[in-house]
Amino acid sequence: MVIVAAVSIFVMYDYSSRVNIRNHSYLHEKADVLERLAIRQSALTAFNFLSAGDHDALQILVDNLSNEPLILDATIYDASGRALIRSEYAMPLEQVTGLATPLSIASFGRKQIIEPIAGNHQLLGFLRITLEQGNLLNDADAYLDHGTKRSVPSLSLHW
């Protein structure tokens, strides 16, 4: 009977671990989809402003993006790669990507996403945002871990 109980507990913990890994994987996939969706929509908005030459609206767009808690900065580049509009506290690309720091430590937990600003078969530029992806995924991972740790012991009490 003790062996059956021990094996049952082991099986539950193993199953819980596998579910947790699948949940983390699913979470990371969905975060990527939402990131791409957000930048795609922002690039479409930027296309309208850029084609109209409305730099004030572009500045408001990048400032609004960078005010989001999970976005560090945003920059709009022209088609040749020159920065046109930056959020207020935008860091240089070399610093954000970690190219200018030893061991690239400045880029840990951050993700660069670049989306073309295009429409009507015309490329006007690029939108680059730096996501604080580490914060998003760490918070979500902690939530999943807490839920798993809390639910597994309660399952073992029912045996």
Side-chain angles (χ1 to χ4, degrees):
M1 184 70 158
V2 172
I3 294 174
V4 170
V7 168
S8 296
I9 290 172
F10 173 77
V11 168
M12 284 189 302
Y13 276 112
D14 181 57
Y15 176 75
S16 172
S17 176
R18 289 176 197 222
V19 167
N20 198 24
I21 290 169
R22 280 196 304 261
N23 285 344
H24 286 278
S25 177
Y26 181 76
L27 173 70
H28 289 246
E29 289 173 22
K30 292 304 172 192
D32 285 344
V33 168
L34 291 174
E35 292 162 4
R36 297 301 314 169
L37 175 66
I39 194 167
R40 211 173 300 125
Q41 291 301 313
S42 297
L44 287 172
T45 301
F47 176 80
N48 294 329
F49 295 149
L50 198 54
S51 60
D54 192 347
H55 290 290
D56 292 336
L58 288 169
Q59 187 65 57
I60 291 170
L61 174 66
V62 296
D63 287 341
N64 285 342
L65 284 169
S66 68
N67 285 334
E68 291 297 321
L70 298 175
I71 296 178
L72 180 65
D73 70 359
T75 304
I76 293 179
Y77 300 89
D78 67 12
S80 65
R82 266 192 338 244
L84 294 176
I85 306 288
R86 291 186 171 115
S87 54
E88 185 177 357
Y89 299 108
M91 298 189 321
L93 185 59
E94 294 80 15
Q95 184 178 351
V96 172
T97 58
L99 295 174
T101 57
L103 302 176
S104 301
I105 57 173
S107 65
F108 288 172
R110 295 180 178 155
K111 180 178 181 182
Q112 299 292 317
I113 301 180
I114 299 171
E115 183 72 21
I117 299 173
N120 304 327
H121 307 291
Q122 182 182 20
L123 176 66
L124 297 181
F126 302 92
L127 171 62
R128 178 189 58 80
I129 62 171
T130 306
L131 292 173
E132 292 285 6
Q133 189 180 34
N135 292 347
L136 167 69
L137 296 177
N138 288 342
D139 290 348
D141 287 345
Y143 178 79
L144 285 174
D145 288 342
H146 177 69
T148 302
K149 288 176 186 171
R150 196 178 64 217
S151 64
V152 170
S154 65
L155 289 174
S156 63
L157 292 177
H158 293 142
W159 288 92

